[in-house]
């Protein structure tokens, strides 16, 4: 049975307050906790009217406290925005509070525009250029205690002592993070939902080049996909109109709340816009439970993914929760978890 997980960007819905998106995330996490999903990851974005959560570590704590079985993590922490010591402290603290349930996904991008990125880092000493590798190495040294004798950080204690850093995953949409995570022996997650790079090339390279390390003995590759499910293919295609219009707007630099289905149906698409949506159709997986189960199984086979992480941008929250329930049902998760906890396979709201 293919393990399934959830990626949640806490999208703001048109007509709703941004704070409601955070409550929707909590409700969705409680829902999928009863459906057999493996992980629930939160993303980091800043100064975007379309995304409500700039602080995944806060949401991780809230969601871990509100759920029982899920691993909860970052998809991801944008490391260039943070002092590595602060990341180590926060995620050790989460691991101490929720042992064995926390993941640390790390990204290279700022998750925002250049001016906001500058504001996020204005009190840090400038490092210059792409300093992701430097920050990643420092983060790992905080865990291993590997600073050389005489280094100013060698005497700094990372608290809480005794709590390990959670499992590390490098996030990527090209082969850069695939090669790096393989070289240093961490997990890897590929963002197929927006990548132009071929997912199979990146995922297979990661597995082929992986070197066991203190972080992980065996490779673990997660494929993140955009998927929308409904009882029928036609209904799923209709639900996807909101996501397709939102993607079209983002590609034009318009980071506005997720449009309602009525707005998406009424939108006057030009021929060029329809062609653009059609070109991106391969990155959005739409259909009934049977259709999506076959599509996800095919993706897993082609990429040798260890699990699929599903991202669903659906305006109506009841339809969104039902989409995750139907995907679980189609992939055989709902029935197995229903036997465990006596639920009907659709969980609570």
């Amino acid at each position: 049975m293919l393990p399934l997980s959830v990626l949640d960007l806490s999208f703001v819905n048109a007509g709703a307050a941004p704070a409601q998106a955070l409550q929707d995330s909590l409700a969705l996490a409680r829902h999928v906790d009863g459906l057999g999903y493996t992980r629930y990851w939160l993303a980091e974005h800043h100064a975007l009217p379309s995304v409500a959560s700039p602080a995944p570590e806060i949401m991780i704590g809230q969601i871990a406290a509100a759920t029982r079985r899920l691993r909860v993590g970052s998809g991801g922490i944008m490391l260039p925005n943070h002092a590595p010591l602060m990341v180590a402290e926060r995620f050790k603290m989460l691991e101490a509070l929720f042992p064995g349930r926390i993941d640390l996904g790390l990204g290279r991008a700022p998750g925002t525009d250049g001016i906001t990125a500058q504001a996020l880092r204005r009190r840090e000493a400038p490092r210059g250029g792409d300093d992701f590798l430097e920050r990643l190495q420092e983060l790992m040294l905080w865990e291993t205690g590997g600073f050389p004798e005489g280094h100013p950080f060698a005497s700094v204690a990372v608290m809480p002592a005794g709590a390990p850093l959670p499992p590390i995953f490098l996030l990527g949409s090209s082969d850069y993070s695939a090669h790096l995570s393989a070289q240093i022996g961490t997990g890897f997650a590929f963002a197929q939902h927006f990548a132009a790079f071929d997912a199979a090339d990146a995922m297979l390279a990661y597995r082929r080049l992986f070197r066991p390390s203190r972080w992980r003995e065996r490779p673990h590759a997660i494929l993140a996909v955009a998927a929308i499910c409904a009882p029928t293919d036609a209904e799923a295609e209709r639900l996807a109109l909101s996501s397709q219009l939102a993607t079209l707007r983002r590609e034009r630099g318009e980071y506005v709340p997720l449009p309602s289905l009525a707005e998406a149906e009424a939108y006057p698409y030009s021929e060029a816009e329809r062609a653009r949506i059609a070109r991106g159709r391969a990155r959005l997986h739409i259909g009934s439970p049977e259709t999506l189960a076959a599509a996800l199984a095919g993706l897993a086979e082609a990429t040798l993914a260890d699990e699929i992480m599903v991202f669903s941008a659906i305006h109506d929250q009841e339809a969104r929760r039902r989409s995750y329930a139907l995907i679980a049902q189609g992939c055989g998760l709902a029935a197995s978890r229903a036997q465990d906890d006596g639920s009907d396979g659709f969980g609570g709201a």
Side-chain angles (χ1 to χ4, degrees), residues 2-288:
L2 180 68
L4 295 177
S5 294
V6 175
L7 174 63
D8 184 7
L9 271 62
S10 296
F11 266 146
V12 178
N13 282 331
Q20 181 59 46
L22 304 179
Q23 297 300 324
D24 292 339
S25 290
L26 284 167
L28 180 62
R30 287 191 291 265
H31 177 61
V32 301
D33 191 35
L35 293 175
Y37 283 83
T38 299
R39 305 174 203 273
Y40 197 103
W41 280 9
L42 292 305
E44 175 186 345
H45 293 283
H46 299 273
L48 298 180
S50 57
V51 177
S53 175
E57 65 273 26
I58 294 177
M59 289 299 294
I60 289 168
Q62 292 294 312
I63 286 175
T67 57
R68 292 187 296 158
R69 299 181 178 92
L70 287 170
R71 294 193 64 93
V72 190
S74 55
I77 291 292
M78 300 295 103
L79 193 53
N81 298 336
H82 306 279
L85 173 58
M86 186 171 291
V87 175
E89 288 177 333
R90 290 176 178 176
F91 276 81
K92 281 174 170 285
M93 188 169 178
L94 287 166
E95 180 66 26
L97 291 168
F98 307 101
R101 292 185 57 205
I102 305 299
D103 296 321
L104 174 53
L106 299 169
R108 295 172 59 209
T112 189
D113 61 276
I115 297 298
T116 305
Q118 185 179 11
L120 286 165
R121 308 169 199 172
R122 67 185 300 266
R123 295 192 180 277
E124 284 193 32
R127 302 192 182 201
D130 183 351
D131 60 359
F132 176 77
L133 285 176
E134 180 185 350
R135 289 173 183 264
L136 178 61
Q137 181 183 39
E138 184 181 321
L139 173 64
M140 291 179 162
L141 288 173
W142 285 120
E143 173 66 3
T144 62
F147 291 107
E149 185 177 351
H151 192 283
F153 294 166
S155 62
V156 177
V158 184
M159 299 297 288
L165 203 63
I168 294 174
F169 292 80
L170 299 190
L171 316 183
S173 56
S174 69
D175 60 350
Y176 176 89
S177 291
H179 285 230
L180 178 58
S181 55
Q183 180 181 354
I184 63 177
T186 66
F188 174 58
F190 185 83
Q192 194 255 1
H193 56 291
F194 66 81
F197 195 89
D198 183 72
D201 284 351
M203 302 274 282
L204 296 178
Y206 164 72
R207 192 169 298 279
R208 183 177 68 253
L209 301 172
F210 182 84
R211 300 177 185 174
S213 71
R214 66 164 290 154
W215 310 105
R216 184 173 291 278
E217 294 182 1
R218 294 180 296 277
H220 191 92
I222 299 174
L223 181 66
V225 303
I228 292 175
C229 193
T232 67
D233 288 349
E235 186 177 345
E237 292 285 353
R238 181 170 177 266
L239 275 180
L241 293 174
S242 292
S243 178
Q244 290 171 327
L245 178 55
T247 299
L248 181 67
R249 287 170 168 169
R250 284 198 303 275
E251 290 176 349
R252 295 196 302 235
E254 301 172 13
Y255 293 93
V256 297
L258 185 68
S260 67
L261 186 54
E263 181 183 353
E265 288 179 317
Y267 183 85
Y269 296 93
S270 68
E271 288 303 315
E273 288 172 331
R274 292 186 186 279
R276 192 163 187 168
I277 288 173
R279 286 196 297 271
R281 182 61 174 77
R283 294 198 298 267
L284 178 57
H285 307 280
I286 306 168
S288 67

